[in-house]
Amino acid sequence: MAALAGLRSLTRLCGVALFLSQLYVLSGRAGSLMTTKHSQPQSTFAQSLTSASTNTPYFKAAESTEIPSYVTKCPSNGLCSRLPPDCMTCNTNYSCIYGKPATFDCKVKPHVHCVDENNHEQENFTINMTCQFCWQLPTTDYVCTNSTSCMTVSCPRQRYNATCTVRDHIHCLGNRVFPKMLYCNWTGGYKWSTALALSITLGGFGADRFYLGQWREGLGKLFSFGGLGIWTLIDVLLIGVGYVGPADGSLYI
């Protein structure tokens, strides 16, 4: 009887243990389900915030309002055909006949405003020009750099490398800035009339040579009294024909 009672007690304990283990398993599943249900909306909300912040921003970026540098060269509301070349883009036809009139289709650049002959704003227009490259233009149509290191009075006449730029209102083919070999033609500010007057009046004292910067010749004329008048007469002739010039090699003005 005692053994039977012990067996029953052990069976009850096993049943209680099985019941507790099943209850623990069920409580763990319920907790995991609750965690999943609560965390899913949160992740969805976070995802929606992320996508909204990266793909569809609330405010658009401000458009660029920077004005190009060429606009300062372009007169506002002027004739389109009179605009400088920097203010337009043209369909250049290099197959035109040299020296003959040519017509090119052009369009104004952004931020440039111009009108036609009837004061109507336009973007597309045509320009008329002579078919020639920029370096073939007359010397009055471009501006070149000057050199103050070459001698203008020399034989043969010296040249120097200059950089030339076409004037704004002139249209031509090719590069508007080009190199060119030019004759030395700079001036130091010496006047031919002043040199000749000094040679006639005070040439015996070397004033003409001093004025032109030729100090050694001036001292020679001064202490020789103009070479007893012979040197004075010769200098009058040489300065008069322009053979004797400033010592720095520049031209008279």
Side-chain angles (χ1 to χ4, degrees):
M1 292 294 292
L4 184 58
L7 183 59
R8 289 179 180 177
S9 299
L10 183 59
T11 303
R12 290 177 181 176
L13 289 176
C14 291
V16 171
L18 181 61
F19 174 77
L20 291 176
S21 63
Q22 290 179 354
L23 182 61
Y24 176 78
V25 172
L26 290 176
S27 63
R29 289 182 180 179
S32 63
L33 289 175
M34 290 177 65
T35 304
T36 304
K37 288 181 180 180
H38 285 290
S39 61
Q40 184 175 0
Q42 185 178 1
S43 61
T44 306
F45 178 71
Q47 184 177 2
S48 65
L49 285 178
T50 305
S51 61
S53 62
T54 55
N55 298 333
T56 55
Y58 254 71
F59 302 99
K60 291 185 177 180
E63 296 182 358
S64 177
T65 57
E66 183 178 357
I67 299 177
S69 59
Y70 60 79
V71 176
T72 57
K73 303 179 181 179
C74 308
S76 180
N77 296 326
L79 288 176
C80 294
S81 58
R82 298 293 297 175
L83 286 175
D86 292 337
C87 306
M88 65 180 77
T89 54
C90 298
N91 296 325
T92 306
N93 181 15
Y94 287 94
S95 61
C96 58
I97 302 175
Y98 172 74
K100 298 293 183 180
T103 302
F104 299 104
D105 296 326
C106 301
K107 182 179 180 181
V108 295
K109 291 184 178 180
H111 302 283
V112 178
H113 303 281
C114 62
V115 296
D116 57 8
E117 290 76 4
N118 298 323
N119 204 26
H120 295 154
E121 187 172 354
Q122 63 177 173
E123 293 184 358
N124 301 307
F125 57 96
T126 59
I127 60 171
N128 299 318
M129 55 175 284
T130 303
C131 181
Q132 59 184 346
F133 286 95
C134 295
W135 60 270
Q136 297 172 323
L137 291 171
T139 55
T140 56
D141 291 341
Y142 54 83
V143 180
C144 300
T145 56
N146 291 325
S147 175
T148 58
S149 61
C150 60
M151 299 291 291
T152 60
V153 182
S154 62
C155 186
R157 192 176 177 186
Q158 290 186 3
R159 293 173 178 261
Y160 70 98
N161 292 319
T163 301
C164 302
T165 305
V166 181
R167 299 184 185 274
D168 287 340
H169 64 282
I170 302 298
H171 297 276
C172 55
L173 302 177
N175 295 327
R176 299 184 62 82
V177 179
F178 53 91
K180 201 163 189 176
M181 291 288 294
L182 298 178
Y183 285 110
C184 299
N185 61 350
W186 67 283
T187 178
Y190 296 94
K191 292 184 178 181
W192 172 81
S193 59
T194 303
L196 182 60
L198 290 174
S199 182
I200 295 173
T201 58
L202 300 174
F205 301 98
D208 51 353
R209 293 284 184 166
F210 286 127
Y211 172 73
L212 295 176
Q214 301 175 6
W215 296 95
R216 289 179 296 181
E217 291 82 353
L219 292 174
K221 290 182 70 175
L222 176 63
F223 291 110
S224 66
F225 299 102
L228 299 178
I230 299 175
W231 194 350
T232 302
L233 294 177
I234 293 175
D235 272 357
V236 171
L237 294 176
L238 294 180
I239 293 176
V241 298
Y243 184 80
V244 173
D248 57 6
S250 63
L251 293 175
Y252 287 116
I253 58 174

